[in-house]
Amino acid sequence: MSKGKKLFTNSLIFALGDIGSKGITLLLVPFYTFYFSQSDYGVVDLTQVTINLLIPILSLSVFEAVLRYVMDNENRSEIFSTGIVITTLSSLLILFATFVFYLSGFLKDIIFIIGLILILQLFQSLYLQFVRGIGEIRIYALNGLLMSLLIGLLNVFFIAVLNLGIKGYFFSLLISLIFSVFYLHISIKGSQYYNFKLVSFNKSKILISYSVPLMPNSIMWWIINASSRYFILFFSGASVNGLYAVSSKIPSVLAIFNSIFFKAWQLSAIEEYNSENKSNYYGVVFNYLQKFLVIITALILLLLKPLFSIIVGVQFYNSWKYVPFLLMAILFSSFSSFLGTNYIAAKETKGVFFSSLIGGVVNLLFNIITIPIWGAFGASISSMFSFLIITIIRWIDTKKYIHISYNYKNIVSNILLLLLEIGVLYCGFDIYIEIILQIIVIAILILLNRDLFRSIWSILSIKFLKGRSL
């Protein structure tokens, strides 16, 4: 299978899992906004955000090292067993901390549920990266779809039927994680990879040396994506935080497309890093990626206001105004993630940390300045600039590993047209005039990036003809 076809095929497989799972998550937004108040939804979002922060810290991000070294065709049992031991030690630390918090009375009603969720997410992360590393991407994708479907059903049961509120949300997540870990273990026959005699201090040191620079990188990523919630909570209150939490769900649509591609691209980037024509290959892929994501962003902006009038409660409608710059943040995040794979492929993870550290500091400074003045709108601006800075730093720094030819004229034109469309949204035109102006902008974008559609059509036509010939 050619590298282009392999990347396309892997992307399709991840798409089945991600679009299904994230689609279910988005469908739950109207459900949450109906059953939760703004404050309750803000609390749920803040708790989940905090859990996401703790995962890379408590695990030392060892699951990232498991993926990278398994792909180097090293002893799978040795890598996996070492990862299990490190994750188990982290889990014991979580249990101890949970017990201490319980005795102190902190979140006494749900602290043990949260502790178990953390432990299960550590093991799930390890299994998921190992599954990707050994090439079982169908299992990876199906797991995401099944888990999200289960969360949806359990949310309806615990929140709507049993009326358990926030506690019902966490019960749903806990049960779904238990299912996910068992499903992944059974699907790959995980017991065959357990061989704790192979676990050594030397191998643990190698994995941790690789993963530790990624741990603070994850923290910086969290600071940019999520720390704004705490600033909003402090300066504007839980209700505004709830609005911001709802607004962040729409940009996740764009994040779905990036996530689908990134999971496939990370595998291809590692496999192709030592090839002679990697520069040309990386360049072609990036230029097509940015065109695709820009057009998806433009379409989301077109549907933004009509979508909010349908899928969220009246009390959440005004949260649409935070979405446009959060979309731009996701766009720049996608660019920086692509460039970050150059560090991963080269096993130079310190560069990931350095660029993310600068972005995290910039985000904190912008949050301190903009949120007291503009509230949640300031948070969206802060996120956009932070990811833009990370992208620029990685653009420059990764040239020492690989020289990629970028179509700068096309990239700048695309971004300026997106900013023009965002300007139309904030101008307060009549809704029909607004839609017409947006459609004109999208038409220009399609014209500028028409080679993307020709390439997609070419790939689909070849696959269709081959399918018929069979």
Side-chain angles (χ1 to χ4, degrees):
M1 184 183 294
S2 69
K3 56 191 177 184
K5 183 179 179 182
K6 186 174 183 179
L7 176 60
F8 183 78
T9 302
N10 286 348
S11 297
L12 285 180
I13 294 171
F14 284 123
L16 293 175
D18 275 28
I19 291 176
S21 61
K22 297 298 194 304
I24 292 168
T25 301
L26 286 172
L27 288 174
L28 287 172
V29 172
F31 175 81
Y32 293 140
T33 58
F34 181 80
Y35 283 97
F36 290 155
S37 66
Q38 292 178 0
S39 297
D40 285 343
Y41 195 82
V43 169
V44 167
D45 181 70
L46 200 60
T47 305
Q48 186 62 63
V49 160
T50 304
I51 290 173
N52 292 340
L53 165 66
L54 293 174
I55 290 172
I57 296 174
L58 296 171
S59 67
L60 303 178
S61 291
V62 71
F63 48 85
E64 298 283 4
V66 168
L67 168 65
R68 184 63 184 88
Y69 281 88
V70 165
M71 287 196 66
D72 275 351
N73 295 316
E74 295 198 21
N75 189 308
R76 291 177 174 179
S77 294
E78 182 183 17
I79 300 297
F80 186 64
S81 299
T82 303
I84 288 289
V85 168
I86 295 171
T87 303
T88 301
L89 293 174
S90 299
S91 299
L92 293 174
L93 178 62
I94 293 172
L95 281 176
F96 175 75
T98 301
F99 185 69
V100 171
F101 282 126
Y102 177 79
L103 292 178
S104 69
F106 180 73
L107 296 176
K108 196 169 185 177
D109 291 340
I110 59 173
I111 190 64
F112 275 112
I113 299 175
I114 293 175
L116 290 173
I117 287 173
L118 264 171
I119 291 171
L120 287 166
Q121 285 200 333
L122 294 189
F123 281 100
Q124 186 204 37
S125 298
L126 181 67
Y127 268 97
L128 284 172
Q129 297 297 65
F130 182 73
V131 165
R132 284 178 66 198
I134 63 176
E136 296 289 352
I137 59 175
R138 288 176 176 82
I139 294 174
Y140 182 101
L142 187 57
N143 170 78
L145 180 59
L146 293 175
M147 182 179 170
S148 297
L149 182 60
L150 184 58
I151 287 177
L153 294 173
L154 290 173
N155 267 307
V156 172
F157 178 70
F158 286 126
I159 298 173
V161 178
L162 298 184
N163 198 30
L164 293 179
I166 292 175
K167 189 178 289 187
Y169 171 86
F170 289 116
F171 276 138
S172 301
L173 183 57
L174 177 65
I175 295 171
S176 301
L177 282 167
I178 293 172
F179 164 81
S180 174
V181 173
F182 273 102
Y183 168 76
L184 291 169
H185 178 79
I186 292 169
S187 297
I188 64 169
K189 299 177 181 178
S191 299
Q192 68 178 309
Y193 298 108
Y194 291 162
N195 189 344
F196 297 108
K197 293 180 181 179
L198 297 175
V199 177
S200 65
F201 176 77
N202 185 54
K203 181 57 67 175
S204 300
K205 184 179 177 181
I206 291 172
L207 294 182
I208 292 173
S209 295
Y210 175 90
S211 67
V212 163
L214 296 175
M215 181 182 71
N217 169 67
S218 298
I219 296 171
M220 292 303 111
W221 220 247
W222 176 89
I223 287 174
I224 298 170
N225 279 311
S227 66
S228 53
R229 263 78 158 184
Y230 295 95
F231 285 95
I232 294 170
L233 184 66
F234 180 78
F235 288 109
S236 304
S239 294
V240 176
N241 204 39
L243 289 172
Y244 189 76
V246 170
S247 69
S248 66
K249 301 302 178 186
I250 299 302
S252 67
V253 174
L254 181 62
I256 290 172
F257 289 99
N258 179 58
S259 174
I260 291 167
F261 169 81
F262 181 74
K263 288 170 184 174
W265 171 245
Q266 192 176 28
L267 302 180
S268 294
I270 293 171
E271 291 173 352
E272 296 297 326
Y273 185 73
N274 293 319
S275 65
E276 293 182 0
N277 65 337
K278 64 180 179 181
S279 295
N280 180 61
Y281 178 53
Y282 280 40
V284 169
V285 171
F286 178 82
N287 286 317
Y288 279 135
L289 171 68
Q290 65 89 12
K291 292 177 182 182
F292 178 76
L293 291 178
V294 162
I295 291 172
I296 295 296
T297 303
L299 291 174
I300 294 173
L301 289 169
L302 174 65
L303 299 173
L304 180 57
K305 288 183 180 179
L307 197 62
F308 263 65
S309 67
I310 297 171
I311 69 170
V312 303
V314 175
Q315 60 179 332
F316 289 91
Y317 176 76
N318 284 333
S319 59
W320 75 262
K321 61 187 177 183
Y322 310 135
V323 174
F325 289 108
L326 286 176
L327 279 169
M328 294 301 294
I330 294 293
L331 183 65
F332 292 135
S333 170
S334 302
F335 295 167
S336 63
S337 293
F338 180 94
L339 295 167
T341 56
N342 296 338
Y343 295 116
I344 302 298
K347 292 184 179 178
E348 295 290 343
T349 51
K350 291 179 182 178
V352 175
F353 165 63
F354 174 73
S355 55
S356 297
L357 175 63
I358 295 175
V361 171
V362 168
N363 181 260
L364 286 175
L365 292 175
F366 266 83
N367 279 339
I368 292 170
I369 295 169
T370 62
I371 292 178
I373 301 172
W374 296 321
F377 186 77
S380 63
I381 296 287
S382 177
S383 293
M384 180 186 71
F385 275 111
S386 301
F387 281 118
L388 175 60
I389 294 219
I390 294 176
T391 299
I392 292 171
I393 292 172
R394 292 183 178 180
W395 229 314
I396 298 169
D397 190 45
T398 56
K399 288 181 179 179
K400 61 189 175 187
Y401 304 117
I402 179 171
H403 184 74
I404 299 175
S405 178
Y406 301 105
N407 188 341
Y408 291 105
K409 183 178 179 180
N410 181 259
I411 294 170
V412 172
S413 297
N414 285 341
I415 291 174
L416 289 176
L417 283 168
L418 281 181
L419 292 175
L420 177 61
E421 187 180 3
I422 290 172
V424 169
L425 280 173
Y426 289 119
C427 281
F429 293 121
D430 177 84
I431 186 64
Y432 297 107
I433 295 176
E434 186 176 283
I435 291 174
I436 290 171
L437 291 174
Q438 286 183 280
I439 290 174
I440 291 172
V441 172
I442 292 171
I444 296 172
L445 277 172
I446 292 173
L447 186 64
L448 283 177
N449 300 284
R450 56 189 180 276
D451 59 319
L452 169 68
F453 298 96
R454 285 198 294 264
S455 297
I456 293 174
W457 175 253
S458 176
I459 293 173
L460 292 176
S461 298
I462 291 172
K463 289 180 74 69
F464 176 74
L465 291 173
K466 285 186 176 180
R468 292 197 58 167
S469 66
L470 294 175

